[in-house]
Amino acid sequence: MPLTKRIIPCLDVKDGRTVKGVNFVNIRDAGDAVELAAVYAEQGADELVFLDITATNEKRKTLAELVTKVAAAINIPFTVGGGISSVEDVSVLLNAGADKVSINTAAIKRPALITEIAKQFGTQCTVLAVDAKFENNAWFVYLNGGRVATTMNAIEWLKKAIDLGAGEILLTSINHDGTKQGFANELIKEVESFSSVPVIASGGAGSMQHFADVFEAGADAALAASLFHYKEIAIPNLKMFLKKEGVNVRIAS
């Protein structure tokens, strides 16, 4: 039996509210984070990702108090990211109710952080988020919530991060983010060809077929935000569609 494919709503949080943009800009409000989290858990989402999208840029820590409220409202695995730069930060968030943490900029600046978190809390709790942009015929890594370009090749960074102990990859295509034109399927295919850990595809979902396509490309999970926030697609309907397409998904009883 193939592993169950996961559907993961993402709460991008700014100033305590859920927000969404296109290509990481033009941010607009999408609702109350705690209320949305509860709805998604009820609808049969497999996991939830909470990203404090301005924590790194504003040089502050993730909103632990809000994490506690979200965790209390749901009964599904919960990943939290934003502003995490030490083992102590991880400890605070796990104690607040997170099941996993997502690290991005801090891991690029100090790759040993991946190993430290994996050793202390387990690889299953260590999610590496990568915001990648396709330019000059290659995928490059961006920092600070997609705001700062680097010359780091995304594929090389992913291989290194997996060796360092990352237990899961959250891979967002900046080119596809918020466009609703489909996921970066070729990128997902390439990463799945060498990855020994699960890969979550993020950026570009616009239809139910897009989810089927990215699972066909090999993704272990698919993450979306605005589609769910603005009720364009309901998670139960999406899962029924995927089931009919032959995708192994968990249907809430």
Side-chain angles (χ1 to χ4, degrees), residues 79 100-103 123-129 167-170 200:
T79 301
K100 307 183 224 181
V101 294
S102 162
I103 51 174
T123 54
Q124 82 290 340
C125 154
T126 313
V127 180
L128 180 82
E168 192 163 28
I169 302 297
L170 169 52
I200 304 168

Side-chain angles (χ1 to χ4, degrees), residues 234-248:
I235 291 169
N237 297 348
L238 172 59
K239 287 195 165 187
M240 293 306 290
F241 170 81
L242 291 170
K243 198 88 169 165
K244 284 177 185 160
E245 291 292 304
V247 180
N248 185 26

